[in-house]
Structures are given as structure tokens and as C-alpha cells.
Amino acid sequence: MEADISSQAVGLASNTDFSLWSLFLRADLVVKSVILMLIGCSIYSWAVIIEKFRLFKKINLESEEFEEKFWKSKSAETFYNSLPADVENPTASLFKDTMQSLLKAKSKSNLNERMASILEVNIEKQISKIDKGFTFLATVGSTAPFIGLFGTVWGIMNSFQSIAISRNTSLAIVAPGIAEALFATALGLLAAIPAVVAYNKFNNDSKKYSQRLENFSKRFLSII
């Protein structure tokens, strides 16, 4: 064990390449695992961010078109019959699911109360679909800095072990290990910051869209 650390210290002293790739290659298994985990989380976070950005842009435009056509239609039932079978827009899906329940209702007593309950359930159903992926962004935003910090602590521990074994306090001995450690911290922040910003933005967009669905539901309920 001591021989390994000693040889690692000599290698660090002679190798002064501080490129990101070199830092990764020189890191031990634990730090490499942390780096790969953070890179994977960052890549998936950006995939979720891009997907949600496109989603909100799409559903807001489609909802505007849907509501405009709906309020210009002769009746809710006529408009329902003209809808395609595979609607994807949340507002259109909310209307379609509610109309199906309305047409299947055998009793017309307390219809408004029952429809209000159905609309509420359907709104929650549509919002849960929109919110898919938010938990991952929140998790990355809250845990990535600590995962990076773990890699940092581990790397610094290795640097101190190198000092103890080599009995050499030269900066050339400790600098590479500390650089690897700080690289893990930087990756943790790189993964966390976009995830936190995106989560806050999309969570706010989701609340706005939820309010939009509720407003549509109230207006729809008033004409039933």
C-alpha cells in the first residue's frame, strides 16, 4: 500500500500536465467514479432541460390554438366529436377525458359537483405528466455539490498520504492531487447549477400552466 502511494507521489511530481483529461486519468478509482457519475448526471439533466423547454413552448402554443377553436365552436359536444383520437396537448386531453365522463354519466343530478371533481382529478393527471423529470433535476441540484465535495475530500486525503509517504512537502507532490480533487468539486457545481435554475424555472412554468388549466376548467364548467 505504502509502495503504491510512494510511486504515485513520484509520478505526480514528474507529471505537470493539468489538462482535464490528464486530471481524470491520474485520479484514483473513487475520484474517477465520482467524476463519471457527475458527468452522467449533467448530461441527463441537460437532456431533461431541453425536453422540458420544448414541451412548455409546444403546449402553450397548442393550448392557445385549442382554446381559441373551442370557444368559437357551436357546442362542446360538436367540438368533442371533431377531436382526433390521439390528442397530446394537456388542455385538449383534459377536455376530452372530461367530456367522456360527461357523456357516460347516467344521472344528471349534482352534475356540476361531479364534473368539478372529475376536472380536478384530470388536471392533476395532466400536471403529473408535465412534472415528470422534475424530481431528477431537484435531486441533482441538491446532491451534486456534495458528491463533488466527497471526491474533493478523497483526493485531498490521497495528497496528504503522498506527502506522508514521500516526506516531501513540495508543491509538485500535492498540486496534481489537489487539482483532481478540485476538478470533482467543479463538476459537482457544473451539474448542480443548471439543474437548480432549470428546476425553478420549469416548476414556475408548471404552476402557470396548472392555473391555465384551472381557468379553462372553470369556464368549461360554467357552460355545462
Side-chain angles (χ1 to χ4, degrees):
M1 176 67 178
E2 291 185 355
D4 292 339
I5 296 176
S6 181
S7 62
Q8 182 181 10
V10 174
L12 292 177
S14 62
N15 191 344
T16 57
D17 184 3
F18 287 94
S19 66
L20 297 182
W21 180 244
S22 295
L23 291 176
F24 174 75
L25 291 178
R26 282 200 305 262
D28 70 355
L29 182 60
V30 174
V31 179
K32 281 180 179 177
S33 299
V34 169
I35 290 173
L36 290 175
M37 183 187 302
L38 291 173
I39 291 175
C41 289
S42 181
I43 292 173
Y44 191 77
S45 292
W46 276 106
V48 173
I49 290 170
I50 293 171
E51 189 271 332
K52 292 301 176 184
F53 180 80
R54 291 177 176 174
L55 174 66
F56 279 108
K57 184 177 181 181
K58 178 182 178 183
I59 64 177
N60 282 319
L61 289 174
E62 290 181 348
S63 294
E64 288 180 6
E65 294 177 2
F66 171 83
E67 291 185 40
E68 184 178 355
K69 291 178 181 178
F70 174 76
W71 296 114
K72 288 181 179 179
S73 63
K74 294 181 179 179
S75 66
E77 188 170 352
T78 302
F79 187 74
Y80 167 76
N81 293 329
S82 66
L83 283 177
D86 55 343
V87 291
E88 296 181 357
N89 182 263
T91 307
S93 297
L94 171 68
F95 168 73
K96 185 176 181 179
D97 293 344
T98 305
M99 281 298 299
Q100 288 177 346
S101 301
L102 177 63
L103 295 175
K104 291 179 181 177
K106 296 180 180 179
S107 173
K108 299 299 180 181
S109 60
N110 298 323
L111 184 62
N112 275 10
E113 294 180 6
R114 288 188 287 125
M115 293 310 298
S117 178
I118 292 172
L119 282 166
E120 184 177 351
V121 171
N122 287 336
I123 288 175
E124 291 179 1
K125 177 182 175 183
Q126 297 303 322
I127 293 300
S128 66
K129 292 180 181 178
I130 293 173
D131 290 350
K132 185 178 180 181
F134 283 13
T135 302
F136 180 80
L137 291 177
T139 302
V140 171
S142 60
T143 61
F146 296 102
I147 296 174
L149 183 60
F150 170 74
T152 299
V153 172
W154 190 272
I156 291 175
M157 286 172 58
N158 287 339
S159 294
F160 282 134
Q161 284 180 323
S162 299
I163 293 173
I165 297 302
S166 65
R167 296 176 183 175
N168 188 341
T169 58
S170 171
L171 187 60
I173 295 293
V174 298
I178 293 176
E180 296 161 14
L182 295 178
F183 182 38
T185 298
L187 283 177
L189 294 175
L190 187 64
I193 292 173
V196 170
V197 173
Y199 173 79
N200 290 334
K201 180 189 184 306
F202 294 142
N203 189 49
N204 186 53
D205 290 344
S206 178
K207 289 179 181 179
K208 288 181 179 179
Y209 196 82
S210 176
Q211 186 61 48
R212 183 173 195 162
L213 290 178
E214 290 179 6
N215 292 338
F216 173 78
S217 298
K218 290 176 182 178
R219 295 179 65 190
F220 175 54
L221 194 61
S222 66
I223 65 172
I224 294 179

